[in-house]
């Protein structure tokens, strides 16, 4: 297929879907009555994940056109290109190979085989370093073992490991605490450091580029804190600092000892980096074996994505629903509601994954798009969300597709609590779909119903299943990008603000480029400085 001329909205499937959308009158409850196999038809299972998407605003005819849309897109070719290391991130001239990080062995030849060997070496280093820290043989300058690890990083260098350490808290080391500092808000950093013993603290500066302003500023402050409290000149040369980066030159310039630099390759995108050395904090917290299980689970999802037919492919199903809602029904947001407190950071994580990847308005060839792309991703855990924003979901003026996510078993909970949690989730999905009519004199009691949702049930929140869950959403985002014909792997949209902020921080000279409103805000803030 010649993908250079692909325009999804010129395909027959797209046009059929536009017609379906214009005359849409799907009553989901009615669809269950007329299609006795609806729930089997619209569900898919792989390994320990089961996805039911039968409560969505689709019928068999719409689904057939969505499947045709996927089949007529460059998806299959792009998938092959991604897994084989072609430079599909064209604007940065880079391959996209986070899937290689999840492989132990392979039949790769040539370049991929060499890359896999490098990945294996990097994994060995993650294992060696994390084992030493966990066993107490990685010592600070006073000869004491590490009790606190502070991961300083932002975006993908923060969200992935932070989410994973929370999700896998069941396996966390009994005497080593992991802290995450993302924001350049000094109050957060200082209050974290003030509770720690510098002799027993390890700082990890996690930055793919080793250039990010927030991370370097936080790193510098942490180094000064070590310098003062340990009374040493160059804390960055000691075992109190590890750098994780794809730019070892910058880490060396920063003064980090070569043996304390954990590398990964530039073909690992920031938001896909928890599988790389960026995952060192996961391995320190949960142990290397759990980290490895996480990779195995993600690899199993890769295999499912590669080999399952499009009609029974979990990431494809989630992506097609998203494309249907965004581009055809013009629903602008999508909620992620895990019924599991350990997944409380999942909505933020998926926000970066989806919105940084597919928040684009030009095609891969640089042409403007005339259809909406990524929805706004938001959410929080149930049942907490039920007492905050579910009112709007049931009776507001917006229709919000939802992904409910839960573990069937939770050994950390009690059977009673877990039953209450899961019952709440299932009840919400059903209530949102069924609604409830009310007497016209009591319309405040009316629930319109027909609100779409999908439900993902995971056998249990093991490290392996957690890996599969994240890989599922990565591939979902990839499929969306293939259908929308956008480059999901760059993020040029964050550059302008970064450059302007850097200018404001470093020199008053560049203020001349600012608009009158921003200049007046800047002047106001400066005048109020205590
Ligand atoms: O926000 C842009 C971005 O490049 C993200 O993609 C990335 O995860 C984050 O900044 C941090 O970048 P780095 O790891 O290079 O510090």
């Amino acid at each position: 297929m010649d993908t250079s001329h692909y325009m999804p909205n010129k395909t027959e499937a797209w046009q059929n879907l536009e017609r379906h959308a214009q005359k849409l009158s799907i009553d989901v409850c009615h669809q269950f009555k007329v299609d006795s196999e609806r729930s089997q038809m619209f569900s898919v299972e792989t390994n320990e994940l089961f996805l039911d998407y039968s409560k969505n605003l689709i019928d068999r005819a719409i689904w057939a056109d969505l499947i045709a849309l996927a089949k007529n897109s460059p998806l299959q070719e792009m998938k092959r290109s991604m897994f084989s290391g072609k430079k599909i991130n064209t604007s940065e001239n880079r391959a996209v190979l986070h899937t290689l990080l999840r492989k132990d062995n392979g039949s790769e030849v040539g370049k991929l085989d060499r890359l896999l060997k490098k990945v294996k070496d990097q994994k060995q280093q993650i294992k060696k370093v994390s084992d030493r820290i966990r066993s107490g043989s990685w010592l600070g300058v006073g000869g004491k073992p590490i009790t606190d690890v502070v991961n300083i990083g932002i975006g993908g260098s923060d969200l992935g490991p932070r989410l994973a350490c929370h999700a896998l808290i069941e396996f966390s080391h009994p005497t080593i605490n992991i802290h995450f500092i993302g924001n350049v808000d000094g109050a957060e950093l200082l209050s974290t450091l003030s509770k720690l013993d510098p002799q027993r603290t390890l700082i990890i500066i996690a930055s793919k580029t080793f250039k990010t302003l927030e991370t370097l500023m936080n790193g510098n402050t942490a180094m000064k804190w070590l310098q003062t409290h340990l009374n040493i000149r160059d804390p960055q040369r000691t075992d109190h600092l590890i750098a994780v980066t794809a730019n070892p030159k910058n880490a060396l310039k920063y003064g980090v000892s070569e043996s304390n630099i954990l590398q990964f390759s530039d073909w690992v995108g920031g938001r896909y980096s928890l599988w790389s050395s960026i995952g060192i904090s996961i391995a320190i917290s949960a142990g290397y074996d759990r980290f490895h299980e996480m990779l195995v689970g993600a690899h199993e999802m890769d295999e499912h994505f590669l080999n399952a037919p499009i009609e029974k492919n979990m990431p494809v199903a989630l992506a097609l629903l998203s494309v249907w809602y965004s581009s055809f029904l013009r629903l602008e947001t999508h909620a992620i509601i895990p019924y599991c407190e350990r997944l409380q950071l999942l909505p933020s994580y998926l926000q970066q994954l989806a919105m940084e990847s597919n928040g684009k308005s030009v095609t891969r060839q640089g042409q403007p798009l005339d259809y909406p792309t990524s929805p706004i991703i938001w959410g929080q855990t149930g049942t907490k969300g039920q007492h905050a924003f579910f009112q709007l979901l049931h009776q507001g003026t917006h229709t919000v597709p939802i992904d409910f996510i839960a573990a069937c078993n939770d050994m950390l909970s009690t059977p009673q609590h877990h039953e209450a949690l899961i019952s709440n989730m299932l009840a919400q999905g059903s209530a949102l779909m069924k609604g409830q009519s009310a007497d016209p004199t009591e319309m405040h009691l009316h629930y319109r119903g027909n609100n779409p949702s999908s439900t993902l049930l995971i056998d249990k929140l093991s490290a392996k299943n957690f890996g599969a869950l994240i890989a599922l959403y990565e591939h979902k985002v990839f499929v969306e990008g293939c259908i929308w014909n956008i480059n999901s792997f760059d993020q040029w949209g964050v550059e302008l603000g970064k450059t302007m902020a850097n200018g404001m921080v470093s020199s008053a000279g560049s203020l001349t480029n600012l608009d009158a409103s921003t200049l007046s805000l800047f002047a106001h803030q400066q005048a109020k400085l205590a």
Side-chain angles (χ1 to χ4, degrees), residues 154-157 207-209 212 215 270-271 352 356 491 494 498:
I154 197 162
S157 303
S207 175
K208 178 176 170 180
T209 55
T212 305
T215 300
R271 51 198 174 274
Q352 187 201 15
E356 197 162 79
Q491 58 283 317
V494 298
K498 249 194 221 175

Side-chain angles (χ1 to χ4, degrees), residues 30-48:
H30 178 71
Q31 291 296 320
F32 275 103
K33 285 193 192 128
V34 297
D35 186 350
S36 60
E37 286 174 8
R38 183 176 169 91
S39 73
Q40 290 92 303
M41 164 77 195
F42 296 130
S43 62
V44 51
E45 186 166 12
T46 177
N47 298 300
E48 296 188 16

Side-chain angles (χ1 to χ4, degrees), residues 18-272:
E18 275 187 336
R19 279 192 288 276
H20 287 300
Q22 273 154 20
K23 57 176 177 56
L24 189 76
S25 60
I26 299 266
D27 173 343
V28 180
C29 288
H30 178 71
Q31 291 296 320
F32 275 103
K33 285 193 192 128
V34 297
D35 186 350
S36 60
E37 286 174 8
R38 183 176 169 91
S39 73
Q40 290 92 303
M41 164 77 195
F42 296 130
S43 62
V44 51
E45 186 166 12
T46 177
N47 298 300
E48 296 188 16
L49 273 63
F50 175 76
L51 175 72
D52 173 302
Y53 53 101
S54 60
K55 294 193 184 80
N56 282 288
L57 300 174
I58 49 171
D59 59 15
R60 287 184 186 237
I62 294 171
W63 197 247
D65 282 318
L66 283 167
I67 293 286
L69 184 67
K71 286 188 173 165
N72 292 325
S73 76
L75 170 60
Q76 296 299 62
E77 189 183 325
M78 288 287 290
K79 201 157 65 164
R80 273 194 298 274
S81 299
M82 176 169 78
F83 280 84
S84 64
K86 291 220 172 97
K87 294 188 172 174
I88 60 168
N89 178 358
T90 42
S91 71
E92 295 178 322
N93 195 30
R94 279 186 192 146
V96 175
L97 270 173
H98 48 277
T99 51
L100 196 69
L101 302 171
R102 325 195 288 204
K103 266 196 147 175
D104 279 335
N105 298 301
S107 47
E108 275 78 12
V109 283
K111 189 162 177 231
L112 270 195
D113 188 46
R114 285 198 299 282
L115 295 182
L116 193 58
K117 285 203 182 94
K118 217 168 164 187
V119 166
K120 277 189 187 163
D121 291 344
Q122 289 166 0
K123 283 187 194 164
Q124 273 314 308
Q125 208 191 354
I126 300 174
K127 178 167 167 42
K128 207 170 93 193
V129 171
S130 60
D131 282 353
R132 275 187 61 202
I133 295 167
R134 286 170 63 82
S135 68
S137 58
W138 182 285
L139 305 175
V141 289
K144 294 181 181 161
I146 299 300
T147 54
D148 290 275
V149 174
V150 184
N151 186 89
I152 295 179
I154 197 162
S157 303
D158 168 68
L159 287 165
R162 195 193 280 255
L163 162 69
C165 287
H166 264 82
L168 306 180
I169 202 102
E170 177 180 359
F171 311 108
S172 62
H173 192 281
T175 59
I176 301 177
N177 305 306
I178 317 280
H179 312 265
F180 288 91
I181 299 293
N183 208 333
V184 72
D185 180 344
E188 195 199 12
L189 175 65
L190 295 179
S191 78
T192 302
L193 293 179
S194 69
K195 295 182 199 99
L196 309 183
D197 175 355
Q199 295 213 27
R200 296 174 184 274
T201 299
L202 168 69
I203 306 288
I204 298 178
I205 300 185
S207 175
K208 178 176 170 180
T209 55
F210 227 82
K211 281 184 188 163
T212 305
L213 179 138
E214 294 93 326
T215 300
L216 294 184
M217 190 175 277
N218 281 331
N220 290 344
T221 304
M223 289 306 106
K224 276 196 199 111
W225 175 79
L226 286 174
Q227 208 172 37
T228 312
H229 290 86
L230 297 177
N231 198 18
I232 49 173
R233 237 184 89 193
D234 293 319
Q236 64 274 29
R237 296 193 194 285
T238 68
D239 277 350
H240 288 277
L241 177 64
I242 286 179
V244 187
T245 187
N247 185 349
K249 272 195 195 143
N250 274 19
L252 282 172
K253 252 191 250 156
Y254 193 86
V256 190
S257 322
E258 198 168 354
S259 55
N260 283 10
I261 300 176
L262 273 69
Q263 291 191 42
F264 62 103
S265 302
D266 71 354
W267 41 257
V268 181
R271 51 198 174 274
Y272 302 87

Side-chain angles (χ1 to χ4, degrees), residues 330-470:
R330 310 264 161 161
L331 302 179
E332 292 186 333
T333 86
H334 189 115
I336 304 289
I337 322 252
Y339 275 68
C340 174
E341 223 30 47
R342 277 152 24 235
L343 292 177
Q344 62 178 265
L345 299 172
L346 186 65
S348 320
Y349 180 81
L350 296 184
Q351 210 167 51
Q352 187 201 15
L353 180 63
M355 292 166 74
E356 197 162 79
S357 299
N358 288 341
K360 311 278 166 68
S361 50
V362 291
T363 64
R364 291 170 60 76
Q365 295 75 29
Q367 299 303 316
L369 296 176
D370 58 2
Y371 43 86
T373 55
S374 179
I376 295 157
I377 303 290
W378 63 283
Q380 76 140 297
T381 51
T383 61
K384 279 160 49 181
Q386 289 174 210
H387 298 274
F389 54 79
F390 269 55
Q391 164 64 37
L392 179 148
L393 300 179
H394 285 285
Q395 291 187 317
T397 51
H398 301 268
T399 299
V400 182
I402 301 168
D403 288 2
F404 290 113
I405 301 168
C408 299
N409 298 287
D410 190 348
M411 296 325 218
L412 298 194
S413 185
T414 69
Q416 200 191 12
H417 279 261
H418 198 58
E419 188 188 1
L421 187 71
I422 300 299
S423 304
N424 265 281
M425 181 185 76
L426 298 179
Q428 288 297 333
S430 181
L432 283 160
M433 177 181 76
K434 287 174 128 179
Q436 182 174 278
S437 50
D439 189 283
T441 60
E442 291 188 313
M443 283 308 280
H444 58 283
L445 297 180
H446 177 79
Y447 292 73
R448 65 167 184 272
N450 219 29
N451 292 292
S453 68
S454 304
T455 305
L456 181 69
L457 291 175
I458 307 168
D459 284 8
K460 61 177 193 285
L461 191 57
S462 60
K464 187 158 94 69
N465 291 341
F466 172 75
L469 171 69
I470 301 305

